[in-house]
Amino acid sequence: MTTTDSENICRRLVGRTAVITGAASGIGLATARRLASEGARVVCGDIDENAGNAAAEEVGGTFVRVDVTDPEQVEALFKTAFDTYGSVDIAFNNAGISPPDDDSILTTGLEAWKRVQDVNLTSVYLCCKAALPYMRRQRRGSIINTASFVAILGAATSQISYTASKGGVLAMSRELGVQFAREGIRVNALCPGPVNTPLLQELFAKDPERAARRLVHIPVGRFADATEIAAAVAFLASDDSSFVNATDFLVDGGISGAYVTPV
Ligand SMILES: NC(=O)c1ccc[n+]([C@@H]2O[C@H](COP(=O)([O-])OP(=O)(O)OC[C@H]3O[C@@H](n4cnc5c(N)ncnc54)[C@H](O)[C@@H]3O)[C@@H](O)[C@H]2O)c1
């Protein structure tokens, strides 16, 4: 392969506009960097103004402060993308939370349950609803909704609302992928395994015992790096995945396929 070939392969998104929620941190930030490096014009949506602005500046994109639970703010996010760049080609609906008061069903209160459903699941409904009209007019688009491996695997270390919200994201993405396929729009649920981001570190990565309990189930023996998830998003966003639709796209180091892992 010549240098030019490899450069071309890495510039799959030239001329495309990508909206990313949760772009200020973790998987969203790594994806903003990756999509921009592949040529996309990136709109970074996040509730964190300072970090979101910094992310947009770094990737030469546009920052929009958005609370993804607010329908008007979500509509404004996608409208800004269209008004600024003239299209909405990629929607990476990724913002999510994993708060400590979402735990076992025995101890998780209704308020904690609802908050997680709002941020993790209702937000994806709002973002898809806002992105689809642009994509339908263009007859082109790729929507990638961040679910999780916990949408398909049960955990005895429960976060009940989080898990249920991700199951909802997965089922909703499948249905939208089927409904809009003949309009040139693909919708996939991305299911990352545990990724070493602030969200996960907060949960257990900084506690060796809690981390070890999880690591034993991961065939590759480590948590993912956010760049490895971003690479999968870039694939799903690009025409390289033109026949990949309505999937639960697992990027999990083999967790979901494992019974006994290597020692
Ligand atoms: N880290 C993991 O192990 C892992 C595994 C599977 C799935 N996920 C999912 O990946 C997504 C990203 O997670 P991450 O690990 O990068 O987390 P993170 O905490 O590093 O980043 C999440 C971002 O979302 C933003 N955000 C939170 N609430 C928001 C709101 N109401 N409106 C707008 N923005 C908001 C935060 O400000 C932050 O920038 C989440 O949906 C998460 O559930 C993470």
Side-chain angles (χ1 to χ4, degrees):
M1 190 186 292
T2 67
T3 313
T4 318
D5 284 339
S6 69
E7 277 169 4
N8 284 341
I9 285 168
C10 291
R11 300 283 294 172
R12 295 174 293 187
L13 305 175
V14 173
R16 308 277 168 98
T17 305
V19 176
I20 301 175
T21 67
S25 174
I27 294 169
L29 177 58
T31 302
R33 289 173 177 146
R34 176 66 189 246
L35 300 194
S37 80
E38 294 219 21
R41 301 166 297 214
V42 177
V43 177
C44 297
D46 207 286
I47 203 164
D48 181 335
E49 209 155 342
N50 287 339
N53 255 316
E57 201 169 305
E58 183 191 329
V59 303
T62 300
F63 172 66
V64 178
R65 192 205 170 268
V66 62
D67 179 344
V68 289
T69 65
D70 182 313
E72 282 165 16
Q73 292 183 29
V74 169
E75 273 182 29
L77 169 69
F78 286 90
K79 186 172 184 311
T80 301
F82 183 79
D83 291 349
T84 310
Y85 299 116
S87 65
V88 176
D89 306 293
I90 300 154
F92 182 38
N93 303 321
N94 164 76
I97 55 170
S98 180
D101 57 355
D102 175 24
D103 202 277
S104 159
I105 194 168
L106 301 174
T107 52
T108 302
L110 191 56
E111 278 313 304
W113 165 273
K114 283 183 175 165
R115 176 82 191 128
V116 171
Q117 294 297 316
D118 274 355
V119 180
N120 290 8
L121 177 57
T122 307
S123 70
V124 175
Y125 153 78
L126 292 174
C127 288
C128 291
K129 204 173 165 67
L132 278 165
Y134 298 103
M135 294 180 172
R136 292 186 74 203
R137 276 202 296 274
Q138 298 162 188
R139 298 195 71 76
R140 181 174 88 176
S142 175
I143 298 178
I144 302 126
N145 296 324
T146 306
S148 167
F149 69 112
V150 300
I152 59 155
L153 282 176
T157 49
S158 184
Q159 296 172 272
I160 192 62
S161 187
Y162 182 91
T163 297
S165 73
K166 296 303 187 181
V169 169
L170 194 145
M172 177 167 35
S173 305
R174 183 190 301 128
E175 189 135 305
L176 296 178
V178 171
Q179 183 178 354
F180 295 102
R182 294 192 189 182
E183 297 185 47
I185 301 165
R186 296 181 293 110
V187 186
N188 289 290
L190 175 78
C191 296
V195 188
N196 202 2
T197 67
L199 182 143
L200 180 113
Q201 282 156 16
E202 207 40 52
L203 263 181
F204 51 72
K206 60 187 176 192
D207 176 341
E209 227 171 84
R210 296 183 78 191
R213 178 149 186 218
R214 275 93 178 160
L215 282 167
V216 73
H217 295 287
I218 309 177
V220 300
R222 62 174 176 83
F223 299 127
D225 189 82
T227 56
E228 296 174 296
I229 309 303
V233 181
F235 168 70
L236 291 172
S238 78
D239 293 343
D240 279 351
S241 60
S242 51
F243 210 63
V244 181
N245 183 36
T247 61
D248 37 357
F249 198 88
L250 278 158
V251 187
D252 72 349
I255 300 172
S256 57
Y259 172 33
V260 177
T261 59
V263 283

